Amino acid sequence: MIASIPFIQKTFEHFNALCFENALPAVPVVLTKAGTFLGKMEYKSRRDFFGIISSHYDFRLKISTGFDLSEEELEDVVIHEMIHYYIAYRNLRDSSAHGETFRRIMTAINQKYGRHITVRHHTGPGQNLLRDGRERVRNNYLCVSTFPDGKKGITVCASTKISELHRLLPKYYKITGMQWYSSTDPFFNRFPRARTPKIYKITEEELSEHLHSAQ
């Protein structure tokens, strides 16, 4: 089935009561034709005087209509994002986007209600209706740069440009650290392959989630 707003809202209400004791306020649902993710809980963060995240707000649930899933699979996608919502809304500590807190809640729901929620949303051949049955797999080489304020940025480039950009990026940008990765996550396909020094800002949450399987 293809995701629809009424189905997502009904699913949210059902599992909010079943798994989260109705602790989560209703959240806007946005449908997207994205081919790089099944679901995503987006929100903004407030920081205190010391730069530490104190709370989160402006939540919205994004679900892709680019995949043909079973009803159970789509429900699991929604519950997965609801776990993210619960952690952020309650401002719970976690070691990463899918750290110990996320995994503890996920495992409890799977065991108690017979669900099959996973750390990462899995897509298989034939699910992505918009891309002829598959997402484009491309090996991306990327540099994660750290700015003085702790924020992160990424640069995606061809393998032949790694040495040159590693030398030039600190000359063009005020950065305090650089780490290089290789990843086939389709998320990084959206960034242009840099030939000249260029850094794109990215949130800690997105970066942590999509570097999960990087080398």
Side-chain angles (χ1 to χ4, degrees):
M1 67 181 297
I2 308 300
S4 68
I5 289 181
F7 179 82
I8 300 304
Q9 290 175 333
K10 180 180 178 181
T11 300
F12 181 95
E13 292 174 2
H14 175 72
F15 289 104
N16 191 21
L18 184 66
C19 305
F20 300 95
E21 299 181 340
N22 281 321
L24 301 174
V27 63
V29 177
V30 178
L31 299 182
T32 172
K33 293 182 180 180
T36 56
F37 65 85
L38 293 175
K40 183 184 296 185
M41 182 61 69
E42 294 185 338
Y43 52 84
K44 299 176 183 177
S45 301
R46 294 187 181 90
R47 294 180 181 270
D48 61 20
F49 178 79
F50 300 100
I52 299 173
I53 294 177
S54 58
S55 63
H56 306 279
Y57 67 102
D58 197 15
F59 293 90
R60 65 174 183 167
L61 174 58
K62 295 181 73 172
I63 299 292
S64 176
T65 59
F67 298 86
D68 188 6
L69 306 175
S70 69
E71 182 173 325
E72 182 179 4
E73 288 172 331
L74 188 52
E75 287 176 345
D76 283 344
V77 169
V78 175
I79 301 170
H80 176 115
E81 299 310 322
M82 291 176 73
I83 298 174
H84 283 303
Y85 184 20
Y86 183 84
I87 292 172
Y89 181 72
R90 290 292 184 90
N91 203 30
L92 303 179
R93 292 183 179 274
D94 207 352
S95 55
S96 65
H98 297 107
E100 294 180 3
T101 302
F102 182 96
R103 292 168 185 265
R104 174 174 52 78
I105 298 172
M106 177 188 73
T107 300
I109 292 174
N110 283 340
Q111 292 178 348
K112 186 172 183 179
Y113 301 106
R115 306 304 307 186
H116 300 90
I117 309 160
T118 56
V119 170
R120 295 180 62 82
H121 295 313
H122 296 291
T123 59
Q127 289 184 334
N128 190 337
L129 302 180
L130 304 179
R131 297 177 182 244
D132 298 324
R134 67 193 66 190
E135 293 184 63
R136 184 181 178 189
V137 177
R138 185 174 81 185
N139 193 31
N140 287 305
Y141 297 94
L142 53 128
C143 177
V144 177
S145 298
T146 303
F147 292 92
D149 61 2
K151 293 184 179 179
K152 304 290 186 179
I154 67 169
T155 303
V156 177
C157 70
S159 60
T160 56
K161 289 289 182 178
I162 292 176
S163 296
E164 181 180 353
L165 291 176
H166 185 78
R167 175 174 56 85
L168 292 177
L169 282 170
K171 295 183 178 181
Y172 282 76
Y173 292 89
K174 188 176 182 180
I175 54 180
T176 59
M178 301 167 65
Q179 290 183 310
W180 284 90
Y181 297 88
S182 172
S183 174
T184 57
D185 190 323
F187 171 80
F188 297 110
N189 293 352
R190 69 184 64 184
F191 296 94
R193 285 198 170 187
R195 295 181 177 275
T196 58
K198 178 66 177 178
I199 298 177
Y200 296 90
K201 292 290 184 69
I202 187 170
T203 66
E204 288 274 6
E205 290 82 4
E206 272 191 317
L207 187 59
S208 178
E209 179 177 357
H210 293 287
L211 280 182
H212 180 74
S213 58
Q215 299 292 319

